[in-house]
Coordinates of all heavy atoms in Angstrom, one line a residue:
F25 N -95.0 -39.1 22.4 CA -93.6 -39.5 22.5 C -93.3 -40.6 21.5 O -94.0 -41.6 21.4 CB -93.2 -40.0 23.9 CG -91.9 -40.6 24.0 CD1 -90.8 -39.7 23.9 CD2 -91.7 -41.9 24.1 CE1 -89.5 -40.2 24.0 CE2 -90.4 -42.4 24.1 CZ -89.3 -41.6 24.1
H26 N -92.3 -40.4 20.7 CA -91.9 -41.4 19.7 C -90.4 -41.4 19.7 O -89.8 -40.4 19.5 CB -92.5 -41.1 18.3 CG -92.0 -42.0 17.3 ND1 -92.4 -43.3 17.2 CD2 -91.1 -41.8 16.3 CE1 -91.8 -43.9 16.2 NE2 -91.0 -43.1 15.6
M27 N -89.8 -42.5 19.9 CA -88.3 -42.7 19.8 C -87.9 -43.1 18.5 O -88.3 -44.1 17.9 CB -87.9 -43.7 20.9 CG -86.4 -44.0 20.9 SD -85.9 -45.1 22.2 CE -84.2 -45.3 21.8
S28 N -87.0 -42.3 17.8 CA -86.5 -42.5 16.5 C -85.6 -43.7 16.5 O -84.9 -43.9 17.5 CB -85.8 -41.3 16.0 OG -86.6 -40.2 15.9
P29 N -85.6 -44.5 15.4 CA -84.7 -45.7 15.4 C -83.3 -45.2 15.3 O -83.0 -44.1 14.8 CB -85.1 -46.4 14.1 CG -85.8 -45.3 13.3 CD -86.5 -44.4 14.2
I30 N -82.4 -46.0 15.9 CA -81.0 -45.7 15.9 C -80.3 -46.1 14.6 O -80.5 -47.2 14.1 CB -80.2 -46.4 17.1 CG1 -80.9 -46.0 18.4 CG2 -78.8 -46.1 17.1 CD1 -80.4 -46.8 19.5
E31 N -79.6 -45.2 14.0 CA -78.9 -45.5 12.7 C -77.4 -45.6 13.0 O -76.8 -44.9 13.7 CB -79.1 -44.3 11.7 CG -80.6 -44.1 11.3 CD -80.7 -43.0 10.3 OE1 -79.7 -42.4 10.0 OE2 -81.9 -42.8 9.9
F32 N -76.8 -46.7 12.4 CA -75.4 -47.0 12.6 C -74.7 -46.9 11.3 O -75.1 -47.4 10.3 CB -75.3 -48.4 13.2 CG -76.0 -48.6 14.5 CD1 -77.1 -49.3 14.6 CD2 -75.5 -48.0 15.7 CE1 -77.8 -49.5 15.8 CE2 -76.2 -48.1 16.9 CZ -77.3 -48.9 16.9
D33 N -73.5 -46.2 11.4 CA -72.6 -46.0 10.3 C -71.5 -47.0 10.4 O -70.7 -46.9 11.3 CB -72.1 -44.6 10.2 CG -71.2 -44.3 9.0 OD1 -71.2 -45.2 8.1 OD2 -70.5 -43.3 9.0
S34 N -71.4 -47.9 9.4 CA -70.4 -49.0 9.5 C -69.2 -48.7 8.5 O -68.5 -49.6 8.2 CB -71.0 -50.3 9.2 OG -71.6 -50.3 7.9
D35 N -69.1 -47.5 7.9 CA -68.1 -47.2 6.9 C -66.8 -46.9 7.6 O -66.3 -45.7 7.6 CB -68.5 -46.1 6.0 CG -69.7 -46.5 5.1 OD1 -69.9 -47.7 4.9 OD2 -70.5 -45.6 4.8
L36 N -66.2 -47.9 8.2 CA -64.9 -47.7 8.8 C -63.8 -47.9 7.8 O -63.8 -48.8 6.9 CB -64.7 -48.6 10.0 CG -65.6 -48.4 11.2 CD1 -65.4 -49.5 12.2 CD2 -65.3 -47.1 11.9
V37 N -62.7 -47.1 7.9 CA -61.5 -47.3 7.0 C -60.4 -47.8 7.9 O -60.5 -47.8 9.1 CB -61.1 -45.9 6.3 CG1 -62.3 -45.5 5.4 CG2 -60.8 -44.9 7.4
L38 N -59.3 -48.2 7.2 CA -58.2 -48.9 7.9 C -57.6 -48.0 8.9 O -57.2 -48.4 10.0 CB -57.2 -49.3 6.8 CG -56.1 -50.3 7.4 CD1 -56.7 -51.5 7.9 CD2 -55.1 -50.6 6.2
Q39 N -57.5 -46.7 8.6 CA -56.9 -45.7 9.6 C -57.7 -45.7 10.9 O -57.1 -45.4 11.9 CB -56.9 -44.3 9.0 CG -56.0 -44.2 7.7 CD -56.7 -44.4 6.4 OE1 -57.6 -45.3 6.4 NE2 -56.4 -43.6 5.4
D40 N -59.0 -45.9 10.8 CA -59.9 -45.9 12.0 C -59.5 -47.0 12.9 O -59.7 -47.0 14.2 CB -61.3 -45.9 11.7 CG -61.8 -44.7 10.9 OD1 -61.2 -43.6 11.1 OD2 -62.7 -44.8 10.1
I41 N -59.1 -48.1 12.3 CA -59.0 -49.4 13.1 C -57.6 -49.6 13.6 O -57.4 -50.1 14.7 CB -59.4 -50.6 12.2 CG1 -60.9 -50.5 11.8 CG2 -59.1 -51.9 12.9 CD1 -61.3 -51.5 10.8
L42 N -56.6 -49.1 12.8 CA -55.2 -49.4 13.2 C -54.7 -48.4 14.3 O -54.1 -47.4 14.0 CB -54.3 -49.3 12.0 CG -54.4 -50.5 11.0 CD1 -53.5 -50.3 9.8 CD2 -54.2 -51.8 11.6
S43 N -54.9 -48.8 15.5 CA -54.3 -48.0 16.6 C -52.8 -48.3 16.7 O -52.3 -49.3 16.1 CB -55.0 -48.4 17.9 OG -54.8 -49.8 18.2
K44 N -52.1 -47.5 17.5 CA -50.6 -47.8 17.7 C -50.4 -49.2 18.3 O -49.5 -49.9 17.9 CB -50.0 -46.7 18.6 CG -50.0 -45.3 17.9 CD -49.3 -44.3 18.9 CE -49.2 -43.0 18.3 NZ -48.6 -42.0 19.2
R45 N -51.3 -49.5 19.2 CA -51.2 -50.9 19.8 C -51.3 -52.0 18.8 O -50.5 -52.9 18.8 CB -52.2 -51.0 20.9 CG -52.3 -52.4 21.5 CD -53.5 -52.5 22.5 NE -54.8 -52.1 21.9 CZ -55.4 -52.9 21.1 NH1 -55.0 -54.1 20.8 NH2 -56.6 -52.5 20.5
L46 N -52.3 -51.9 17.9 CA -52.6 -52.9 17.0 C -51.4 -53.0 15.9 O -51.0 -54.1 15.6 CB -53.9 -52.7 16.3 CG -54.3 -53.8 15.2 CD1 -54.4 -55.1 15.9 CD2 -55.7 -53.4 14.6
M47 N -51.0 -51.8 15.5 CA -49.9 -51.8 14.5 C -48.6 -52.5 15.1 O -47.9 -53.2 14.4 CB -49.6 -50.4 14.0 CG -50.7 -49.9 13.1 SD -50.2 -48.3 12.2 CE -50.2 -47.2 13.6
L48 N -48.4 -52.2 16.4 CA -47.2 -52.8 17.0 C -47.4 -54.3 17.1 O -46.4 -55.1 16.9 CB -47.0 -52.2 18.4 CG -45.9 -52.7 19.3 CD1 -44.6 -52.4 18.6 CD2 -45.8 -52.1 20.7
Q49 N -48.6 -54.8 17.5 CA -48.8 -56.2 17.5 C -48.7 -56.9 16.2 O -48.1 -58.0 16.0 CB -50.2 -56.5 18.1 CG -50.4 -56.1 19.5 CD -51.8 -56.3 20.0 OE1 -52.8 -56.4 19.2 NE2 -52.0 -56.3 21.3
I50 N -49.2 -56.2 15.1 CA -49.0 -56.8 13.7 C -47.5 -56.8 13.4 O -47.1 -57.9 12.8 CB -49.8 -55.9 12.7 CG1 -51.3 -56.0 13.0 CG2 -49.5 -56.3 11.3 CD1 -52.2 -55.1 12.1
E51 N -46.8 -55.8 13.6 CA -45.3 -55.8 13.3 C -44.6 -56.9 14.1 O -43.8 -57.6 13.5 CB -44.7 -54.4 13.6 CG -43.3 -54.3 13.3 CD -42.7 -52.9 13.4 OE1 -43.6 -52.0 13.4 OE2 -41.5 -52.8 13.5
Q52 N -45.0 -57.1 15.4 CA -44.3 -58.2 16.1 C -44.6 -59.5 15.6 O -43.8 -60.4 15.5 CB -44.8 -58.1 17.6 CG -44.3 -56.9 18.3 CD -44.8 -56.7 19.7 OE1 -45.9 -57.4 20.0 NE2 -44.2 -55.9 20.6
V53 N -45.9 -59.7 15.1 CA -46.3 -61.0 14.6 C -45.5 -61.3 13.3 O -45.0 -62.4 13.1 CB -47.8 -61.0 14.3 CG1 -48.2 -62.2 13.4 CG2 -48.6 -61.1 15.6
I54 N -45.4 -60.3 12.4 CA -44.7 -60.5 11.1 C -43.2 -60.7 11.3 O -42.7 -61.7 10.7 CB -44.9 -59.2 10.3 CG1 -46.4 -59.1 9.9 CG2 -44.0 -59.2 9.0 CD1 -46.7 -57.8 9.1
K55 N -42.6 -60.0 12.3 CA -41.2 -60.2 12.5 C -40.9 -61.5 13.2 O -39.8 -62.1 13.1 CB -40.6 -59.0 13.3 CG -40.6 -57.7 12.5 CD -39.9 -56.6 13.2 CE -39.8 -55.4 12.3 NZ -39.0 -54.3 13.0
Q56 N -41.8 -62.0 14.0 CA -41.6 -63.3 14.6 C -41.5 -64.4 13.5 O -40.9 -65.5 13.8 CB -42.8 -63.6 15.5 CG -42.7 -62.9 16.9 CD -43.9 -63.2 17.8 OE1 -44.8 -63.8 17.4 NE2 -43.8 -62.7 19.0
F57 N -42.1 -64.2 12.4 CA -42.0 -65.2 11.3 C -40.8 -64.9 10.4 O -40.6 -65.5 9.3 CB -43.3 -65.2 10.4 CG -44.4 -65.9 11.1 CD1 -45.3 -65.2 11.8 CD2 -44.6 -67.2 11.0 CE1 -46.4 -65.8 12.5 CE2 -45.7 -67.9 11.6 CZ -46.6 -67.2 12.3
G58 N -39.9 -64.0 10.8 CA -38.6 -63.8 10.1 C -38.7 -62.8 9.0 O -37.8 -62.7 8.1
I59 N -39.8 -62.1 8.8 CA -40.0 -61.1 7.8 C -39.7 -59.7 8.3 O -40.4 -59.3 9.2 CB -41.4 -61.2 7.2 CG1 -41.6 -62.6 6.6 CG2 -41.7 -60.1 6.1 CD1 -43.0 -62.8 6.0
E60 N -38.8 -59.1 7.7 CA -38.3 -57.8 8.2 C -39.1 -56.6 7.5 O -39.3 -55.6 8.1 CB -36.8 -57.6 8.1 CG -36.0 -58.5 8.9 CD -36.2 -58.2 10.4 OE1 -36.5 -57.1 10.8 OE2 -36.1 -59.2 11.2
Q61 N -39.5 -56.8 6.3 CA -40.1 -55.7 5.5 C -41.5 -56.1 5.1 O -41.7 -57.2 4.6 CB -39.3 -55.4 4.3 CG -37.9 -54.7 4.7 CD -37.2 -54.1 3.4 OE1 -37.3 -54.8 2.4 NE2 -36.6 -53.0 3.6
Y62 N -42.4 -55.2 5.3 CA -43.8 -55.4 4.9 C -44.4 -54.0 4.7 O -43.7 -53.0 4.9 CB -44.6 -56.1 5.9 CG -44.9 -55.3 7.2 CD1 -46.1 -54.7 7.4 CD2 -43.9 -55.2 8.2 CE1 -46.3 -53.9 8.5 CE2 -44.1 -54.4 9.3 CZ -45.4 -53.8 9.4 OH -45.6 -53.0 10.6
L63 N -45.6 -53.9 4.2 CA -46.3 -52.6 4.0 C -47.8 -52.8 4.2 O -48.4 -53.7 3.7 CB -46.0 -52.1 2.6 CG -46.3 -50.6 2.4 CD1 -45.5 -49.7 3.3 CD2 -46.1 -50.3 0.9
L64 N -48.4 -51.9 5.0 CA -49.8 -51.8 5.1 C -50.3 -50.5 4.4 O -49.8 -49.4 4.6 CB -50.2 -51.7 6.6 CG -50.4 -53.0 7.4 CD1 -50.6 -52.7 8.8 CD2 -51.6 -53.8 6.8
I65 N -51.2 -50.7 3.4 CA -51.6 -49.6 2.6 C -53.2 -49.5 2.6 O -53.8 -50.5 2.9 CB -51.1 -49.6 1.2 CG1 -51.6 -50.9 0.5 CG2 -49.6 -49.5 1.1 CD1 -51.2 -51.0 -1.0
T66 N -53.7 -48.3 2.4 CA -55.1 -48.2 2.3 C -55.6 -48.5 0.9 O -54.9 -48.9 0.0 CB -55.5 -46.7 2.6 OG1 -55.0 -45.9 1.5 CG2 -54.9 -46.2 3.9

């Protein structure tokens, strides 16, 4: 019996991270500072 080492893939892109909840929180933070227009791009 031999257990293979676990390999981890860390190549996450912005689309993987930005959930609806997080995008809503980011928009709320930006608008709280009086900024109405912004853009998140890959």
Side-chain angles (χ1 to χ4, degrees):
F25 172 72
H26 175 70
M27 179 176 174
S28 301
I30 301 172
E31 297 180 357
F32 300 107
D33 181 13
S34 60
D35 295 331
L36 292 173
V37 297
L38 190 59
Q39 297 94 317
D40 297 330
I41 296 173
L42 287 180
S43 62
K44 290 183 179 179
R45 172 186 56 79
L46 183 58
M47 286 193 290
L48 180 61
Q49 290 177 344
I50 290 174
E51 183 172 338
Q52 289 174 344
V53 168
I54 293 174
K55 290 188 175 181
Q56 282 178 354
F57 284 93
I59 297 178
E60 293 297 329
Q61 290 189 321
Y62 73 98
L63 192 63
L64 273 173
I65 60 175
T66 67

